Amino acid sequence: MKLPITIHQARLGSMEFKVIRPARPLEHAVLIDHDRHLDAYLDQDAARRIGGLWTLAASSPRSLVHLPIRANRAPFRELPEDGTRQLDLVLLHHSLQFAPSRWKELRGRLGPGRPRTVTLPDTDPVDEAAIDHEARHYRENRDLFHQHLHAETLFMTGSAKAFRETTRHFLNVARNGPGYVPVHPSYPHFCTELHSKDGILGDAREIHIEYCDQWDS
């Protein structure tokens, strides 16, 4: 997969931060905040590119990966009534120790960025059979996602392993959603989930990820 991105750098005090964004807008992607969980609605292109950005977050521990999607139009379907707030998404490694409270200031200092194309594998970065699901539930497990919400942005903070092992959710939607929906007209619902029982969420809510092929123009 060739993934066009832009790289931005901005300084806050004595610290300089690098922010990675998709070069093209993720037009058909929304993230909706609910009280107890989050819903992501994606078309094939968005799911595939977010999978690439998820992989990039695993290999870029000194960068923030920013998906500016909060102003996107919603899918052409009825959404839950309590979904009143759409969010941007930032992916970051826990070792960066970036304070979300400083995000609005950093975001305001970002320029147009430098274009670059990165090459990522088209396949899942981790074989599902190789994941030790039992170990995820050990008390010692630190490969967990934690979330913070600030400035209309959801921060997903995790380890490289956590990002690598969950990329498959987005690639699964991109690979199988388009073929599933047309042959299931009575229930055209293809989805996956970052679930609390999977042993990957620490201080974090579940994220329901659904394929959508029809969007408002």
Side-chain angles (χ1 to χ4, degrees):
M1 177 197 308
K2 292 189 181 299
L3 183 66
I5 59 173
T6 53
I7 298 177
H8 312 251
Q9 290 181 303
R11 182 173 293 276
L12 289 178
S14 62
M15 297 288 293
E16 186 170 64
F17 294 95
K18 182 168 75 172
V19 178
I20 298 171
R21 285 173 169 166
R24 292 186 294 108
L26 292 162
E27 293 181 345
H28 294 160
V30 295
L31 178 64
I32 297 179
D33 181 24
H34 300 273
D35 287 339
R36 296 184 179 180
H37 72 283
L38 300 125
D39 280 336
Y41 298 94
L42 312 171
D43 74 351
Q44 183 181 35
D45 175 69
R48 179 176 174 271
R49 288 199 284 147
I50 291 174
L53 293 163
W54 216 262
T55 300
L56 197 57
S59 60
S60 306
R62 307 308 303 167
S63 302
L64 296 91
V65 180
H66 177 214
L67 284 63
I69 57 175
R70 73 181 187 274
N72 286 356
R73 293 181 179 272
F76 187 67
R77 53 158 291 177
E78 183 178 352
L79 298 181
E81 291 183 2
D82 58 344
T84 58
R85 179 167 57 164
Q86 294 184 195
L87 302 173
D88 279 352
L89 180 61
V90 168
L91 314 175
L92 66 157
H93 196 273
H94 56 71
S95 65
L96 190 58
Q97 297 185 330
F98 177 80
S101 61
R102 307 199 71 187
W103 171 244
K104 190 172 183 179
E105 183 182 3
L106 178 62
R107 184 176 63 192
R109 297 187 179 191
L110 299 178
R114 295 179 286 107
R116 181 183 171 189
T117 298
V118 295
T119 301
L120 301 169
D122 288 316
T123 57
D124 297 356
V126 175
D127 183 357
E128 171 70 12
I131 298 175
D132 189 345
H133 293 276
E134 184 177 349
R136 284 180 171 179
H137 298 277
Y138 294 165
R139 185 186 300 272
E140 297 81 6
N141 180 28
R142 295 294 181 267
D143 294 305
L144 302 170
F145 283 113
H146 299 279
Q147 296 172 352
H148 296 88
L149 195 60
H150 192 81
E152 300 177 287
T153 303
L154 176 73
F155 289 82
M156 288 286 289
T157 304
S159 66
K161 182 179 179 181
F163 280 110
R164 282 197 305 269
E165 291 189 354
T166 52
T167 295
R168 61 186 178 84
H169 289 281
F170 300 95
L171 299 181
N172 183 30
V173 169
R175 185 180 302 119
N176 299 311
Y180 181 92
V181 168
V183 297
H184 295 83
S186 60
Y187 190 67
H189 183 104
F190 186 89
C191 66
T192 183
E193 195 166 33
L194 300 181
H195 198 279
S196 59
K197 293 183 179 180
D198 292 339
I200 55 171
L201 300 179
D203 182 13
R205 290 176 288 169
E206 295 177 341
I207 303 180
H208 176 265
I209 306 162
E210 183 177 340
Y211 170 76
C212 291
D213 61 349
Q214 297 185 30
W215 293 73
D216 289 341
S217 58

